[in-house]
């Protein structure tokens, strides 16, 4: 965009940067963090899973294969435990799925508009 000095490409670049943040937000959406209004608020085992995922990602970035293996095993154990005995209610799950669905629909529409803008530019 900068090399061509093209406003349309600059706008597309900004749109895709925003979409990257929105995709990250979708990945973070199941995890309540400190948000008391989150559908999964109070489900501490999800926070533990999020910590394990973050630790695995940090190990990947650092190239620490031993830590990657350790955190992958931890993540697998936590996922299996959640599958066997989900600590959330059906209402919490339904609320989370509704929120995720809304986010995915918004992302799909935004991605579609961005691709259309680039297609028109071409």
């Amino acid at each position: 965009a900068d090399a061509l000095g093209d406003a349309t490409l600059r706008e597309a670049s900004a749109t895709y940067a925003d979409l990257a943040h929105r995709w990250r937000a979708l990945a973070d959406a199941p995890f309540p963090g400190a948000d008391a209004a989150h559908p999964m608020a109070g489900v501490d085992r999800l926070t533990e899973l999020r910590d394990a995922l973050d630790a695995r990602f940090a190990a990947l970035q650092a190239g620490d294969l031993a830590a990657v293996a350790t955190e992958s095993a931890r993540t697998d154990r936590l996922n299996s435990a959640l599958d066997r005995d989900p600590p959330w209610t059906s209402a919490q799950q339904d609320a989370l799925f509704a929120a995720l669905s809304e986010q995915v629909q918004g992302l799909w529409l935004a991605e579609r508009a961005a691709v259309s803008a680039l297609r028109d530019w071409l």
Side-chain angles (χ1 to χ4, degrees), residues 64-100:
D64 185 346
L65 298 182
V68 170
T70 297
E71 294 305 331
S72 291
R74 179 177 163 207
T75 300
D76 290 346
R77 280 192 309 275
L78 292 167
N79 272 323
S80 293
L82 288 169
D83 286 345
R84 280 190 311 275
D85 183 26
W88 51 79
T89 67
S90 293
Q92 284 176 301
Q93 181 173 303
D94 291 347
L96 177 62
F97 286 173
L100 292 173

Side-chain angles (χ1 to χ4, degrees), residues 97-120:
F97 286 173
L100 292 173
S101 177
E102 188 175 315
Q103 281 183 279
V104 168
Q105 183 179 17
L107 279 161
W108 178 78
L109 291 170
E111 290 276 358
R112 189 172 156 198
V115 167
S116 180
L118 286 176
R119 188 177 295 122
D120 291 346

Side-chain angles (χ1 to χ4, degrees), residues 21-81:
H21 292 291
R22 290 175 63 186
W23 279 109
R24 176 58 195 224
L26 178 68
D28 291 338
F31 304 101
D35 182 2
H38 189 280
M40 294 294 181
V43 181
D44 294 335
R45 287 173 34 199
L46 284 176
T47 301
E48 188 178 356
L49 176 60
R50 175 57 193 259
D51 291 345
L53 291 167
D54 285 346
R56 183 174 65 180
F57 183 68
L60 280 168
Q61 286 182 308
D64 185 346
L65 298 182
V68 170
T70 297
E71 294 305 331
S72 291
R74 179 177 163 207
T75 300
D76 290 346
R77 280 192 309 275
L78 292 167
N79 272 323
S80 293

